[in-house]
Amino acid sequence: MTQSTPAAYQGPMRVVSGVQASGALHLGNYLGALRKFVPLQDEAQCFIFVADLHAITVWQDPAILAAQTREVAAAYIACGLDPKRAVIFPQSAVRAHLDLAWIFNCVARIGWLDRMTQFKEKSGKHKERESVGLYTYPVLQAADILVYQATHVPVGEDQKQHLELTRDIAAKFNNDFGAPGFFPLTEALIEGPGARIMSLRDGRSKMSKSDPSDYSRINLLDDADTVAQKVRKARTDPEPLPETVEGLAERPEADNLVGIYAALSGQAKAEVLARYAGQGFGTFKPALADLAVAVLGPIGTEMRRLIGDPAELDRILLDGARRAAETAEPVVEATKRLVGFWQAEV
Ligand code: AMP
Ligand code: TRP
């Protein structure tokens, strides 16, 4: 049976993104990712999932994984995603991701994965002790994206290399299987003041869920007192804030706090400095804490309400998984035909 080559993707703008179901969400997740999803739901089809398959690349306690999955979904909705418009679902509930991931494992080259800096950072000196899943993690990520033929992926800075790999996989697949444009060359949406939020304890390392110190990050579920205390204890230097952005160059902690203020208030760093130049952290930190509480407080309240209603969250996630599969399955079917897998001809 001859198969016609599927047409290049020419549909509407499609957005895909995900956050791992691996514990408390923080300010970096909010500013680098979640906040960016919300306006996109007005202009594009959005598929926003909870990356539970990615989460288990490192150990996750089975007793709490499902609750962590619901918590990320609650954060999406609390930040303003509307489950009627955006498709919100658990990654593991749509098996098309895994079908495509295997095929992509056979397209991606070992040399490409060997260059992934996130694997090197996460595995440290003993990569032979890490799961194979942690190594092929970016291939699954490419499948997450391309199974929806996504055109745009809003993420933080740390995902840039994974998005480049996604494009490489799309291009190689299209070329190897003679299907120009079948998988789009997806664009990362990274720019913006919140793309790389740093730890409150060390302005040179990223704010991260895996940092052992809870004082390194502001969690979306922290109460107002905790937020204020974490900002107060954030590491700084003794100098007052400078007049210009250039003056922040060798001051990573000051730069980070000004960056957080700018991202939370929707201003440029220069505007923040125009207001606070010459003032010390004794003035700036309380202002930053108030701003963080004003923005994050209502999100935390709504998250708690949603987490208290798991049945409602489960209805949303089930409906999302069904809608996601409707888009993803035909893409997997077309991909399998291109690869030449057996199909009954009767
Ligand atoms: P993860 O928690 O690793 O699944 O990350 C979820 C999303 O948050 C991704 O788009 C990341 O790029 C983004 N993200 C994580 N940490 C930060 C950070 N410190 N600053 C900005 N974005 C971040
Ligand atoms: N790797 C991403 C992170 O840690 C999470 C993720 C998995 C993702 N699949 C994705 C993000 C697809 C965007 C698109 O942040």
Side-chain angles (χ1 to χ4, degrees), residues 17-22 25-34 37 51 118 122 137 154-159 194-198 206-209:
S17 197
V19 173
Q20 295 186 73
S22 48
L25 294 185
H26 55 71
L27 183 66
N29 298 131
Y30 174 68
L31 293 174
L34 274 70
F37 304 161
Q118 194 169 80
K122 286 193 184 176
Y137 173 123
V155 277
E157 241 296 298
D158 59 354
Q159 297 302 310
R196 189 166 176 80
I197 300 297
M198 309 310 279
K206 201 181 61 165
M207 182 176 287
S208 149
K209 286 172 195 167

Side-chain angles (χ1 to χ4, degrees), residues 16-20 49 51 54 91 118 122 137 140-141 144-145 153-155 158-159 162-163:
V16 166
S17 197
V19 173
Q20 295 186 73
F49 60 92
H54 278 104
Q91 183 189 24
Q118 194 169 80
K122 286 193 184 176
Y137 173 123
L140 175 60
Q141 184 162 349
D144 297 334
I145 294 166
V153 174
V155 277
D158 59 354
Q159 297 302 310
H162 293 164
L163 267 293

Side-chain angles (χ1 to χ4, degrees), residues 108-299:
R109 305 290 93 181
I110 290 174
W112 301 358
L113 288 186
D114 279 343
R115 284 196 287 276
M116 295 294 116
T117 53
Q118 194 169 80
F119 176 74
K120 289 183 201 164
E121 282 158 23
K122 286 193 184 176
S123 61
K125 287 200 199 97
H126 294 287
K127 71 174 184 160
E128 65 283 358
R129 290 186 203 161
E130 297 298 339
S131 72
V132 175
L134 189 68
Y135 183 67
T136 64
Y137 173 123
V139 176
L140 175 60
Q141 184 162 349
D144 297 334
I145 294 166
L146 294 172
V147 83
Y148 302 99
Q149 295 175 306
T151 57
H152 295 83
V153 174
V155 277
E157 241 296 298
D158 59 354
Q159 297 302 310
K160 190 165 183 254
Q161 203 184 28
H162 293 164
L163 267 293
E164 284 160 8
L165 182 93
T166 301
R167 293 162 68 94
D168 289 343
I169 291 176
K172 182 162 162 57
F173 182 96
N174 292 346
N175 184 54
D176 288 355
F177 295 99
F182 175 62
F183 287 120
L185 300 184
T186 312
E187 270 179 57
L189 300 174
I190 294 177
E191 296 314 307
R196 189 166 176 80
I197 300 297
M198 309 310 279
S199 156
L200 298 181
R201 308 300 282 171
D202 172 4
R204 293 183 200 275
S205 72
K206 201 181 61 165
M207 182 176 287
S208 149
K209 286 172 195 167
S210 55
D211 192 313
S213 167
D214 198 50
Y215 276 87
S216 68
R217 61 186 161 259
I218 295 175
N219 300 307
L220 297 188
L221 287 174
D222 283 344
D223 60 29
D225 287 347
T226 309
V227 171
Q229 205 182 18
K230 286 178 174 176
V231 173
R232 199 165 53 241
K233 293 202 168 177
R235 184 163 152 190
T236 44
D237 57 43
E239 304 297 320
L241 286 170
E243 302 281 335
T244 63
V245 176
E246 292 72 49
L248 293 168
E250 294 303 315
R251 301 175 62 186
E253 284 83 17
D255 185 33
N256 188 37
L257 294 188
V258 171
I260 292 173
Y261 191 104
L264 284 171
S265 63
Q267 301 175 73
K269 283 187 201 172
E271 291 174 86
V272 178
L273 291 177
R275 179 158 165 207
Y276 289 101
Q279 307 203 36
F281 287 99
T283 312
F284 185 67
K285 280 180 167 179
L288 176 58
D290 286 349
L291 176 62
V293 169
V295 175
L296 301 181
I299 294 174

